[in-house]
Amino acid sequence: MNTNKLMGILFFSLLIVFGICFFLKSDYFNLKEIVIRNNDHLSKGEVEKLVSINLNRNIFTYDLKEAKEKVKSSSYIKDCNIKREIPNKIIVTLEEKKIIGPIFNGKNYCLIDDKGNFIDEIKNGDEENLIINLEYTLKKNKINFNNKEDKEILLELVKRLEEENILTRISQIDMNEKKTVNMKTAKDLEICIGKNEELDKNINNLREVLVDLQNRKQYTGKIDMTYNDYVLYKP
């Protein structure tokens, strides 16, 4: 290959490279939208504030690794993924922590995760579907449960209620009694179960009782499951 032909090829290659670089830096790739996915507890605005990315800049100029660390700094977030979508979007996909609560000690309303760790303190529980009454103290964003056994019972109770598709029907859980857990549904059906090793069995029985009562269109009254081998229902 002679020198002139080689120089021509190199020159043409450089033109292509410069053209691509110019195109990638053009306004065509300016950020127009930040898409937020899987945000159940945080609003779109709250996530955008965490990401701290402004629109109308070239999408290749953003440090997505830094943005990810900012999002993960939230106590609500377990993990997240941030990626560019050509030509002008950034996609933020969240994995939020599993939130339980609020738990109420007569003074503070706090959200905890499924490990019992503090997530956030909220002003009141009026807008929540479930309130959990439980004795604890709050100091420097750390929750200390007065009874550690109650903490474990609560976490297992919520887990089992969710597995049996019962949790969404519960509006209140009261853990303040020594030997029993008292619950109430949104339709004022009271449920009383024991704080013992038969929790799993009791939740299985509760599911069957609730199905039976629903078939009979009975939504109020009291279900007492503290009698070991049988269930007592009072209309």
Side-chain angles (χ1 to χ4, degrees):
M1 185 179 296
N2 60 48
T3 303
N4 290 336
K5 186 175 290 187
L6 178 60
M7 292 298 294
I9 293 173
L10 291 174
F11 180 72
F12 183 70
S13 300
L14 285 173
L15 285 178
I16 293 175
V17 171
F18 282 124
I20 292 173
C21 290
F22 180 79
F23 178 60
L24 291 177
K25 291 182 178 181
S26 69
D27 292 346
Y28 180 72
F29 292 99
N30 279 4
L31 180 64
K32 300 299 181 184
E33 183 182 5
I34 300 174
V35 179
I36 311 296
R37 294 174 178 168
N38 301 338
N39 56 312
D40 294 325
H41 297 287
L42 294 177
S43 68
K44 185 176 186 292
E46 288 171 324
V47 178
E48 288 177 339
K49 187 175 180 180
L50 287 169
V51 175
S52 189
I53 288 178
N54 297 319
L55 301 179
N56 298 317
R57 274 178 50 194
N58 189 288
I59 62 171
F60 297 105
T61 64
Y62 297 103
D63 187 339
L64 299 190
K65 184 177 180 181
E66 180 182 356
K68 178 178 179 178
E69 292 305 313
K70 288 180 179 179
V71 175
K72 289 178 65 176
S73 69
S74 169
S75 59
Y76 287 87
I77 303 301
K78 183 177 181 180
D79 200 0
C80 77
N81 180 55
I82 303 179
K83 66 179 182 179
R84 301 175 180 87
E85 185 174 281
I86 304 300
N88 53 22
K89 290 182 182 180
I90 285 180
I91 310 296
V92 181
T93 304
L94 303 177
E95 182 184 354
E96 293 183 330
K97 293 179 182 178
K98 197 167 186 177
I99 306 297
I100 295 174
I103 57 175
F104 182 57
N105 62 358
K107 181 180 179 181
N108 308 102
Y109 289 93
C110 290
L111 302 177
I112 61 174
D113 64 15
D114 56 351
K115 301 291 189 295
N117 299 315
F118 174 85
I119 295 295
D120 198 6
E121 183 178 6
I122 59 178
K123 292 183 178 180
N124 58 65
D126 294 343
E127 298 180 357
E128 301 294 330
N129 296 323
L130 172 65
I131 300 293
I132 301 167
N133 296 306
L134 180 66
E135 294 183 358
Y136 67 90
T137 57
L138 177 65
K139 187 176 182 180
K140 295 182 179 179
N141 292 340
K142 184 177 181 181
I143 289 180
N144 294 305
F145 294 87
N146 292 17
N147 188 329
K148 292 183 179 180
E149 290 184 0
D150 277 354
K151 171 188 171 181
E152 300 305 321
I153 292 171
L154 172 63
L155 298 180
E156 182 63 21
L157 174 66
V158 170
K159 176 184 175 183
R160 290 293 294 118
L161 288 173
E162 186 172 37
E163 289 174 349
E164 297 295 341
N165 297 316
I166 299 173
L167 187 62
T168 54
R169 301 172 61 175
I170 304 297
S171 63
Q172 184 174 330
I173 298 176
D174 193 325
M175 302 282 297
N176 287 325
E177 292 191 15
K178 187 175 181 179
K179 295 183 178 181
T180 59
V181 178
N182 297 293
M183 298 182 285
K184 185 178 289 187
T185 68
K187 296 186 177 181
D188 289 332
L189 174 66
E190 297 179 31
I191 303 166
C192 183
I193 64 174
K195 293 181 180 179
N196 53 43
E197 66 278 358
E198 294 188 344
L199 180 63
D200 189 68
K201 174 184 175 182
N202 286 335
I203 298 303
N204 285 334
N205 291 338
L206 176 61
R207 174 179 51 79
E208 296 176 3
V209 172
L210 289 174
V211 170
D212 181 60
L213 290 177
Q214 184 172 346
N215 291 337
R216 290 190 283 164
K217 296 183 179 181
Q218 293 180 290
Y219 303 108
T220 60
K222 182 176 181 179
I223 301 171
D224 193 336
M225 309 184 70
T226 61
Y227 292 92
N228 295 326
D229 295 329
Y230 64 94
V231 178
L232 178 64
Y233 171 69
K234 298 177 183 179

